[in-house]
Amino acid sequence: MDWHGAHDRGATMAENRRGLIAAHPDKADLIRAWDARWDEMFDGWVAGMDALFTELDAAGVAQYGLSNLPAEKWRPLLDLYPELERLRETVVSGAEGVAKPDPRIYAITAERIGHRPDETLFVDDKAENVAAAAEAGFPGLVFTDAAKTRAALREAGLPV
C-alpha cells in the first residue's frame, strides 16, 4: 500500500515502479501491468449510483469529486466513465501531491468547490476519510450502497 499510495500522492507510475522493480525483478511484468492494464480494475458503476448521479445532475445539485488517484489516470478514468465530466470540480490527489485522509486535501477541496464545508455532504467508502473530512468541517457518510446514500441525501433535503 505504501507503493500504491505514492501514486496517489503524486509519483508518476514510471518513476514509482523503478524502485519496486529493482527490489522485485522477478515481478517486473506484474508491476508494469498495474499501469498498462489499470482500466481492467473497473467493472462499471456501483449498482444504483449511476441513476442517483444522473438524478442529482438533472435536479441541478452540484456534485464534486475528490479522489485518491494518480494524476495521469484521471483522463483515462473519464474515458471509461464520461459521465464524470459532469462533476463541477474534481480534486485528484496525485495532481495535488497530497491524498486523503491528509487534512490538506480537504482544505484544497473546500477552496475549489466554493462552498463552505458544512454545506457539502462528503461521501467516501473509507471511514478514516469520512472522519478526516468531518474534522475539516464536512458532514460525511461512509458509503456502503446506493440506497443508504439516497436516504442520507433525502435526509439532507436533496431532491432524490
Side-chain angles (χ1 to χ4, degrees):
M1 286 309 296
D2 288 338
W3 176 74
H4 176 69
H7 297 123
D8 292 345
R9 292 185 304 275
T12 68
M13 305 295 269
E15 69 190 12
N16 199 32
R17 72 175 158 245
R18 276 189 221 106
L20 194 61
I21 288 172
H24 305 281
D26 58 317
K27 305 278 192 267
D29 288 342
L30 294 172
I31 294 165
R32 285 187 193 97
W34 194 89
D35 181 13
R37 298 178 60 189
W38 180 84
D39 61 334
E40 294 176 28
M41 290 188 292
F42 299 96
D43 190 26
W45 288 86
V46 172
M49 288 305 295
D50 54 341
L52 184 55
F53 182 78
T54 299
E55 286 175 47
L56 289 166
D57 188 55
V61 175
Q63 297 176 83
Y64 305 95
L66 169 55
S67 182
N68 278 359
L69 185 74
E72 64 202 274
K73 294 302 182 182
W74 177 237
R75 182 72 248 168
L77 187 65
L78 290 174
D79 292 343
L80 286 172
Y81 300 98
E83 302 89 350
L84 295 176
E85 296 269 13
R86 296 186 306 207
L87 294 170
R88 295 195 184 171
E89 180 69 45
T90 301
V91 175
V92 176
S93 66
E96 303 301 329
V98 60
K100 298 178 284 183
D102 188 307
R104 294 175 293 169
I105 198 78
Y106 303 101
I108 292 166
T109 301
E111 183 178 313
R112 293 263 180 84
I113 66 174
H115 296 285
R116 293 189 341 241
D118 64 341
E119 299 173 331
T120 307
L121 179 64
F122 178 81
V123 180
D124 196 282
D125 63 339
K126 294 189 176 189
E128 63 267 23
N129 294 341
V130 173
E135 287 289 318
F138 290 91
L141 169 71
V142 177
F143 177 83
T144 56
D145 60 43
K148 289 180 182 165
T149 303
R150 182 180 293 278
L153 293 170
R154 275 192 192 125
E155 187 175 310
L158 294 169
V160 292

